[in-house]
Amino acid sequence: MVTTDEVIDTRRRILDVAARLFREQGYAGVSLRAIAREADMKAGSFYYHFASKEDLVVDVLNEGIRAVRDSVERAMQSLGPDADGSTILRTAVHAHLTSLLRLSDYTSANVRVFGQAPEGVRVKALATRRGYETFWDDLLGLAQRRGGLRGDADLRVARLVIFGALNASLEWFRPDRGSIEQLADSYADLLWRGLRPEALKS
Amino acid sequence: MVTTDEVIDTRRRILDVAARLFREQGYAGVSLRAIAREADMKAGSFYYHFASKEDLVVDVLNEGIRAVRDSVERAMQSLGPDADGSTILRTAVHAHLTSLLRLSDYTSANVRVFGQAPEGVRVKALATRRGYETFWDDLLGLAQRRGGLRGDADLRVARLVIFGALNASLEWFRPDRGSIEQLADSYADLLWRGLRPEALKS
DNA sequence: TGACCATTCTAACTAACGTTAGGCTACTCT
DNA sequence: AGAGTAGCCTAACGTTAGTTAGAATGGTCA
């Protein structure tokens, strides 16, 4: 057989399986033997591809952020530079939710597992997370400077609220009980208009 | 000595210790021996007070919701019936955050541990959670019917966004780097006014 | 004082975990 | 054809987990 990417395929298979299991059962809930079983190998063979369980989960977490960031970046690029604030917000929210809830087990594994993982893992997966946060801060900052977002809005607070709200949807969203598009629209609409009645300005 | 509440005190001590440790280290990160050590007893003695670790964590989780609900209910009652929407929102947000971030290890343990706990635990702690969600739905619904909140706002979405945003603060908030009051004000303000520029109405 | 009972401790069990050493297999390349 | 090695497997190690049985402790009350 071809030897070139045989190993890489196996490694990818392990990562895919691990992402799915971590997403479903959390960090401590997934044993190495379970990962090996789902990847059609024995537990010992795992160590030919990864140095430890912690190394594996670090890779899963970082790939999760890479995927969601890629998703949002592409969506932004498809917008053109003159999109208004509402469109930017809705599109970014939609892209993030799509990666989290439909496309990537890696992204959902990150959201679910990051807070459960041992400190050493979190340290090695923090920079990527921070980078994604900065990416959103830049995104919102640019839109605000162009007048697309309320000028006196605290964008750090906005990002924290947005991240908290979007990522929490992982815990309750079921694809058969609502579409991601509708969810994204609802979330973006609330974040856009707020809860204040439109008639008055108090 | 008095025998009447000696046992109850010990039981409470175990619960307090467990709530703190769960809050700090998550479900799987806390061993029964660690709980026993912090509660000044040996691991075996624990089983005189609880049937299992799962039973213990169920009690911790439910107490966490009881505490935060009590906090928000009291704050609401202190408002008087003619408070406007902005005040209601800010007060409820502040009360929730206070219980989560300052007053109760039980509440923070619930937020942190619920998603990590085994299914059996989650089932037994779900009703209390649902009850608290309904309490917020009623709270927001009443305010909306009185004209205090935007009439066409989807309140289920609002509650999901609020819960997601508030509870996520547990992961990053540090008391020495900002006050809960300021945080609550910022969150409530964003949720109230949204990100749309105030000049236009698009 | 002595019986009783509530509470705690000691010591162990079983199961599961991450990890490792060393052997087997089958393909590659000379 | 034979040497070398990449990839996987077998079998085990040491640790830790939740849990349990039974002994010890110490206060209460007849």
Side-chain angles (χ1 to χ4, degrees):
Chain A
M1 295 293 293
V2 221
T3 64
T4 46
D5 21 33
E6 190 85 355
V7 202
I8 299 178
D9 280 1
T10 305
R11 185 188 161 91
R12 171 58 61 180
R13 207 173 66 240
I14 295 175
L15 283 165
D16 284 351
V17 162
R20 180 169 53 82
L21 293 182
F22 282 140
R23 175 215 176 113
E24 293 168 358
Q25 313 182 30
Y27 180 73
V30 176
S31 73
L32 229 53
R33 285 171 175 84
I35 295 172
R37 182 176 351 108
E38 295 281 302
D40 284 316
M41 52 169 44
K42 296 308 165 81
S45 312
F46 164 84
Y47 288 90
Y48 183 80
H49 301 275
F50 293 92
S52 67
K53 184 186 179 185
E54 297 205 355
D55 268 36
L56 166 69
V57 74
V58 166
D59 281 7
V60 169
L61 294 184
N62 283 330
E63 168 63 21
I65 296 298
R66 198 207 56 73
V68 68
R69 176 171 180 154
D70 189 67
S71 172
V72 177
E73 275 182 339
R74 284 175 195 276
M76 287 300 104
Q77 283 163 8
S78 79
L79 269 189
D82 52 350
D84 65 353
S86 164
T87 304
I88 291 175
L89 180 63
R90 181 166 31 81
T91 306
V93 164
H94 179 262
H96 182 102
L97 286 178
T98 299
S99 183
L100 177 68
L101 301 175
R102 178 161 51 207
L103 291 184
S104 174
D105 286 337
Y106 292 86
T107 300
S108 38
N110 184 298
V111 169
R112 166 127 200 225
V113 161
F114 188 86
Q116 316 179 1
E119 172 124 9
V121 170
R122 250 176 296 143
V123 168
K124 286 182 187 149
L126 189 60
T128 317
R129 271 209 168 201
R130 285 276 156 79
Y132 183 55
E133 291 169 7
T134 303
F135 167 72
W136 266 81
D137 287 340
D138 293 346
L139 184 86
L140 297 175
L142 190 63
Q144 187 181 47
R145 260 176 272 114
R146 284 183 182 163
L149 299 181
R150 180 159 56 81
D152 62 339
D154 186 328
L155 293 190
R156 178 166 177 272
V157 168
R159 190 248 296 158
L160 286 167
V161 167
I162 292 170
F163 271 44
L166 299 195
N167 290 342
S169 72
L170 180 63
E171 287 183 24
W172 57 265
F173 181 78
R174 296 292 169 265
D176 49 307
R177 306 223 284 147
S179 77
I180 293 177
E181 285 69 26
Q182 191 176 350
L183 181 66
D185 284 352
S186 303
Y187 274 21
D189 183 64
L190 179 71
L191 293 164
W192 180 248
R193 297 201 284 159
L195 284 169
R196 181 178 53 183
E198 310 224 312
L200 45 93
K201 282 279 183 97
S202 69
Chain B
M1 295 294 290
V2 222
T3 63
T4 46
D5 22 33
E6 190 86 353
V7 202
I8 299 178
D9 281 0
T10 305
R11 185 189 161 91
R12 170 58 61 180
R13 209 173 64 241
I14 295 175
L15 284 164
D16 284 350
V17 162
R20 179 169 53 84
L21 293 182
F22 283 139
R23 177 217 174 113
E24 292 168 0
Q25 313 181 32
Y27 181 73
V30 176
S31 72
L32 229 55
R33 285 170 176 83
I35 294 172
R37 182 176 350 108
E38 296 281 304
D40 285 317
M41 52 169 43
K42 296 306 164 85
S45 311
F46 165 85
Y47 287 90
Y48 183 79
H49 301 274
F50 293 91
S52 67
K53 186 186 179 186
E54 297 205 356
D55 267 36
L56 166 69
V57 74
V58 166
D59 281 6
V60 169
L61 295 184
N62 284 330
E63 168 63 20
I65 296 299
R66 199 207 56 73
V68 68
R69 176 169 180 156
D70 189 67
S71 172
V72 177
E73 274 182 339
R74 284 175 194 276
M76 287 300 105
Q77 283 162 7
S78 80
L79 270 189
D82 52 349
D84 65 351
S86 164
T87 304
I88 291 175
L89 179 64
R90 180 165 32 81
T91 305
V93 164
H94 179 261
H96 182 102
L97 286 178
T98 299
S99 183
L100 176 69
L101 301 174
R102 178 161 53 207
L103 291 184
S104 174
D105 286 337
Y106 292 86
T107 300
S108 38
N110 184 298
V111 169
R112 166 126 199 225
V113 161
F114 188 86
Q116 316 179 1
E119 172 123 11
V121 170
R122 249 175 297 143
V123 168
K124 287 181 187 150
L126 189 59
T128 317
R129 270 210 168 202
R130 284 277 156 79
Y132 184 54
E133 292 169 6
T134 303
F135 167 72
W136 267 82
D137 288 339
D138 294 345
L139 185 84
L140 298 174
L142 191 62
Q144 188 182 46
R145 259 175 273 114
R146 284 183 182 162
L149 299 181
R150 180 160 56 81
D152 62 338
D154 186 329
L155 293 190
R156 178 166 177 271
V157 167
R159 190 249 296 159
L160 287 167
V161 167
I162 292 171
F163 271 43
L166 299 194
N167 290 342
S169 73
L170 180 64
E171 287 183 24
W172 58 263
F173 181 79
R174 297 292 168 268
D176 49 306
R177 305 223 285 147
S179 77
I180 294 177
E181 285 69 26
Q182 192 176 350
L183 182 65
D185 285 351
S186 303
Y187 273 21
D189 182 65
L190 179 70
L191 292 165
W192 181 248
R193 297 201 284 160
L195 284 169
R196 180 178 55 183
E198 309 225 314
L200 46 94
K201 281 279 182 95
S202 70

